[in-house]
Amino acid sequence: MTEGIESLAGVRSPADRSADVCIIGSGCGGATAARVLAEAGKDVVVLEEGSDRTGMELTQRDGEMYDQLYMDRGGRSTEDLSISVLTARVLGGGGVINASDVVPIPAGVLAHWRRAFDLADLTDATLAPFAAAALADLHANEVTEAQMNRANRLLQEGTERLGWAGARMHHNRVGCQGMGTCLIGCPVNAKKNPRFVAIPAAIEAGARFLTRARAVRVEGARADTKTVTVKTLDARGYHETGELRVRAPIVIVACNAVASAQLLLQSGIGNEHVGQHLILQPQLPLVASFDEPVNAFRGIPQAYAVTEFEEEDHPEHGLWGFRIEAIMGTPGIVSTLLPYIGSESATMMGRYDRIAASLLLAPDEPSGSVRLGPSTRPIIAYEHREEHKRRLRAAARAAARIYLAAGAREVLVPSVPPVTVRSTRDLHHLDALEMRPATTPMVSAHQQGTVRMSSSASRGAVDPDGLVWGTRGVYVMDASIFPSSASSHTMTPILTMARYLASKLAA
Amino acid sequence: MATEGFAVIRRRRFLKWGLGAGGAILGAGAAGYGSLIGLAPSAGPLRILSDREHRTLRNLVTTICGPIAMRERHDVADAFDGWLADEPANIVSDLQGALLWMELGPALYDHRWESFSGLDQAAREAHFRSWMESDDLVRRQVATAFRKFVNLVFHDTPSTWARIHYPGPATGLRGS
Ligand SMILES: Cc1cc2nc3c(=O)[nH]c(=O)nc-3n(C[C@H](O)[C@H](O)[C@H](O)COP(=O)(O)OP(=O)(O)OC[C@H]3O[C@@H](n4cnc5c(N)ncnc54)[C@H](O)[C@@H]3O)c2cc1C
Ligand code: SF4
């Protein structure tokens, strides 16, 4: 046992606990809140249903890592199978498996929240110290020229040839060795994520972290003391083994936008907005084939972004437009995205070392919901609106032009049936992209909005302090509170807002 | 493992289609049903799957990954069996239903008295592709779910890496 981190894996009769604050979820929001409150002198217990995996326990193997580091063993998806909903399940949460991109909340988004949700306190000046602290914790720095692998350079070359705007991204890696498996964990612990920043600081200040501890119910939402019922899980996290209770006057829910809504619904806490307004930011992958070896599987997968088409101050939505970012994965996960079978699949995978891939990322309007299902897994419904598809088609056109300009022999949108572009004359093929459910491998990494913040209970589920409307002492401090897309990447916004809200609570 | 959709194939609708389909075949009588799907050789000790279901899965592996997967197909099917053993009960029964449905698919939808396992490679690919492209959402979902599971496990197998020029994890780890 690492000091301050206790695994409850397989424990059948664990002892009940009590604390000043019980935090559910140890990810970007939960770990940050734990640190702030522990440093303010509170006795903090954090519950985490994942296990603690660091260093060489992050084996760089698809099967084992998706099974162990992601919710539903990597299989979480919208109910119609349109969108794979990727969320972490490990001590440290999404920071352990994310692409390490650091993008703060744009000023235009804050202005939108003030305008549309009456969140008058959320000004640049109020949040500035918390944003600065988040960036400092992340050790945020720009990817260097030398760290750009060939795949990212190809995206950059094509973008520059077309005269479009793009930039090397900021990230939270220090001592990166370019092993390329960021999405299934970094075996050299190069990411300055909550596991290596907020959690050690919280432990130093006295916080206790319990792993393989799944909160299933919060009771006494209006009482002085709340009781959280917790199930212990087996070592792999598949089955429940025991039960305990944690009692605390304050409970902070920080399980991520899907699981936080699920837990509140299971507990019967909150108003009609809980579980609604789900934002998924569905991302569409696109694959370019080159004659030369690209070896995109080594190096930082996501180091360059095309920002030409992004709108950070859209009058109606805050963040809008689209951006294009390089990406790559290990063979297992890449093969699941491709639309071919049989010999065609073997041929395409035979070109694995010659492909460069991108994710087309377009912010969306809230159009989904989370509800309870027949097992421990929630049901995620999502209406993929035509307007969003239209922007994704525009993004695919732009990305195809970029890769063709960079010398690609073929650009593929891996839908069923596949849509390919070999020259600019083929760009109209992309108009045929229907994106029917279960035909196009879209992914969501930035779920938000299911317990959204608003200045009135008629428009949201938590108040401007993160307090669930109608409760005394039940707070939410994670991605679920954002009333619209906080940024093109959610980690830094969550670190910022959790620090801000936890500091208010501590005061 | 990335097995999108296994959790969300809508149970009631799925059962309506899957069992309805099975019922139609059973209408041909037990002997007809038996002659259609035949007996499967023993697949060794299994946790959840029957020998027949394991055979369907082996054939799905070569359908999805191509004949190059001949050597690994048994291991991929075993991995599915092991994975299934730790899934919630509703998902286990849905997937077993999906395997039967897939096995009966050619008789149900292609108007031929053949099971999926009874087809040759080209016919299996054509049949599976028709599910991928089907106007019926549930068939597309089943095809998607199997495609994802099979691909992920197959391409995570070290013996497949040399062919795709992947040198393996940079740490040299092979995982457990
Ligand atoms: C593949 C991927 C790539 C991404 N890339 C980036 C990126 O490059 N940059 C960026 O800014 N953002 C990125 N993100 C998004 C970012 O990582 C997430 O938005 C962020 O981690 C969410 O923070 P959170 O606090 O809401 O929840 P999380 O960080 O997900 O933490 C929630 C934790 O709660 C635990 N939990 C859930 N339910 C319970 C329960 N009932 N009991 C106990 N514990 C529970 C979970 O196991 C999890 O560990 C990425 C996300 C993914 C999935
Ligand atoms: S690219 Fe860097 S951060 Fe990502 S896994 Fe490799 S060493 Fe770790």
Side-chain angles (χ1 to χ4, degrees), chain A residues 60 98-100 147 171-191 297-301, chain B residues 170:
Chain A
Q60 304 193 291
N98 74 19
S100 288
Q147 285 177 311
H171 65 159
N172 66 337
R173 298 176 183 88
V174 175
C176 169
Q177 295 180 23
M179 293 185 168
T181 53
C182 312
L183 301 185
I184 48 175
C186 174
V188 295
N189 300 336
K191 297 175 180 185
F297 45 78
R298 290 284 194 266
I300 293 174

Side-chain angles (χ1 to χ4, degrees), chain B residues 13 35 66 92-93 97 136 168 174-175:
Chain B
R13 192 151 53 109
S35 80
V92 174
S93 59
D136 168 24
R174 294 284 165 180

Side-chain angles (χ1 to χ4, degrees), chain A residues 358-378:
Chain A
S358 279
L359 282 171
L360 314 177
L361 193 159
D364 54 336
E365 280 182 277
S367 65
S369 64
V370 173
R371 63 180 200 276
L372 303 178
S375 69
T376 53
R377 299 177 183 177

Side-chain angles (χ1 to χ4, degrees), chain A residues 60-64 73 79-81 84 238-239 297-298 331 335 338-339 341-342 346 349-350 377 436-438, chain B residues 1 4-5 8 63-64 83 86-87 132 135 140-141 144 147 151 155-156 164 166-171 174 176:
Chain A
Q60 304 193 291
R61 292 289 301 276
D62 289 305
E64 189 184 11
R73 308 171 73 184
E79 65 176 341
D80 63 0
L81 281 208
S84 166
Y238 299 150
H239 307 286
F297 45 78
R298 290 284 194 266
S335 65
L338 298 175
I341 59 166
M349 279 307 287
R377 299 177 183 177
R436 290 195 298 170
Chain B
M1 290 177 192
E4 272 107 290
V8 291
T63 303
I64 291 166
W83 171 83
D86 291 307
E87 282 294 285
M132 287 165 64
D135 284 334
R140 291 205 307 275
Q141 289 176 324
T144 301
R147 206 153 52 83
N151 265 316
H155 292 287
D156 187 38
I164 62 169
Y166 176 57
T171 50
R174 294 284 165 180
S176 55

Side-chain angles (χ1 to χ4, degrees), chain A residues 24-30 47-50 70-71 86-95 97-103 183 213-216 254-257 259 263 302 444-447 477-480 489-494:
Chain A
I24 306 166
S26 70
C28 294
L47 305 170
E48 169 54 55
E49 81 162 76
Y70 283 81
M71 278 288 176
L86 299 174
T87 72
R89 187 200 196 209
V90 59
L91 187 72
I97 46 86
N98 74 19
S100 288
D101 305 319
V102 173
V103 188
L183 301 185
R214 173 195 282 156
V216 294
C255 305
N256 172 301
L263 181 60
Q302 199 155 66
S444 160
H446 305 135
Q447 309 87 28
M477 297 189 190
D478 64 11
S480 34
H489 291 277
T490 34
M491 169 171 65
T492 310
I494 297 163

Side-chain angles (χ1 to χ4, degrees), chain A residues 19-212:
Chain A
D20 296 333
V21 183
C22 173
I23 298 179
I24 306 166
S26 70
C28 294
T32 305
R35 175 200 187 161
V36 170
L37 291 164
E39 287 177 347
K42 304 282 183 208
D43 178 22
V44 177
V45 167
V46 182
L47 305 170
E48 169 54 55
E49 81 162 76
S51 62
D52 184 23
R53 284 198 176 236
T54 59
M56 296 301 239
E57 291 167 307
L58 299 163
T59 60
Q60 304 193 291
R61 292 289 301 276
D62 289 305
E64 189 184 11
M65 293 296 97
Y66 281 100
D67 188 278
Q68 288 298 298
L69 304 179
Y70 283 81
M71 278 288 176
D72 301 352
R73 308 171 73 184
R76 184 161 282 188
S77 166
T78 52
E79 65 176 341
D80 63 0
L81 281 208
S82 292
I83 303 164
S84 166
V85 180
L86 299 174
T87 72
R89 187 200 196 209
V90 59
L91 187 72
V96 177
I97 46 86
N98 74 19
S100 288
D101 305 319
V102 173
V103 188
I105 310 175
V109 168
L110 289 179
H112 174 61
W113 291 352
R114 291 195 297 274
R115 222 169 29 232
F117 297 92
D118 289 333
L119 297 171
D121 291 349
L122 297 184
T123 62
D124 299 347
T126 311
L127 288 184
F130 303 99
L135 293 177
D137 283 350
L138 289 163
H139 298 61
N141 64 103
E142 191 180 84
V143 172
T144 63
E145 183 65 36
Q147 285 177 311
M148 293 268 286
N149 69 7
R150 185 76 191 119
N152 279 275
R153 277 179 207 280
L154 286 165
L155 186 66
Q156 179 181 19
E157 278 168 26
T159 306
E160 287 174 355
R161 274 184 204 146
L162 294 172
W164 288 343
R168 289 202 302 270
M169 300 188 69
H170 283 73
H171 65 159
N172 66 337
R173 298 176 183 88
V174 175
C176 169
Q177 295 180 23
M179 293 185 168
T181 53
C182 312
L183 301 185
I184 48 175
C186 174
V188 295
N189 300 336
K191 297 175 180 185
K192 295 293 171 193
N193 62 39
R195 175 61 187 85
F196 297 110
V197 181
I199 291 177
I203 291 172
E204 178 74 27
R208 295 164 281 161
F209 288 76
L210 305 178
T211 59
R212 289 293 186 226

